[in-house]
Amino acid sequence: MTVVNIKLTVKEIKLLADLASSQLFRREFIDPKMPGQKCDWGEINLGKELVDRLRSLSGQVNFGRTSSAKSANGIITVQHQSRR
């Protein structure tokens, strides 16, 4: 099990979620149309779950994911435990 702790502002989390979402769109819909490119669906689905968690932490979406967040002075401390 891997535990990662990181401190980000809400603005930083929103930016990361937007950037990741744009990258996922490119990988899912644009890249596969280019010769020799294949879509890695496992990676795409993992990325979508990550974007959902980031957005839920920033208050944009609430999907009840397993991450926990604490806010102090505009900083969000994220604690997520991986079960791999």
Side-chain angles (χ1 to χ4, degrees):
M1 179 185 314
T2 303
V3 177
V4 177
N5 292 314
I6 186 170
K7 290 184 179 183
L8 299 169
T9 65
V10 173
K11 186 176 181 178
E12 290 170 332
I13 290 175
K14 287 180 181 179
L15 177 61
L16 283 174
D18 289 343
L19 291 172
S21 180
S22 296
Q23 184 70 10
L24 285 169
F25 180 86
R26 183 184 68 82
R27 286 190 176 192
E28 185 174 359
F29 298 107
I30 297 172
D31 285 357
K33 294 180 182 178
M34 302 189 71
Q37 296 292 323
K38 294 181 182 177
C39 188
D40 181 351
W41 289 107
E43 192 173 86
I44 297 290
N45 290 330
L46 180 63
K48 287 179 179 182
E49 290 174 11
L50 176 59
V51 168
D52 286 347
R53 286 199 323 257
L54 289 172
R55 287 184 172 155
S56 70
L57 290 171
S58 68
Q60 292 179 0
V61 177
N62 187 7
F63 290 116
R65 300 291 183 193
T66 59
S67 298
S68 63
K70 299 175 186 174
S71 179
N73 300 327
I75 303 288
I76 292 179
T77 301
V78 177
Q79 200 167 39
H80 177 75
Q81 295 183 0
S82 174
R83 296 181 185 173
R84 290 184 181 184

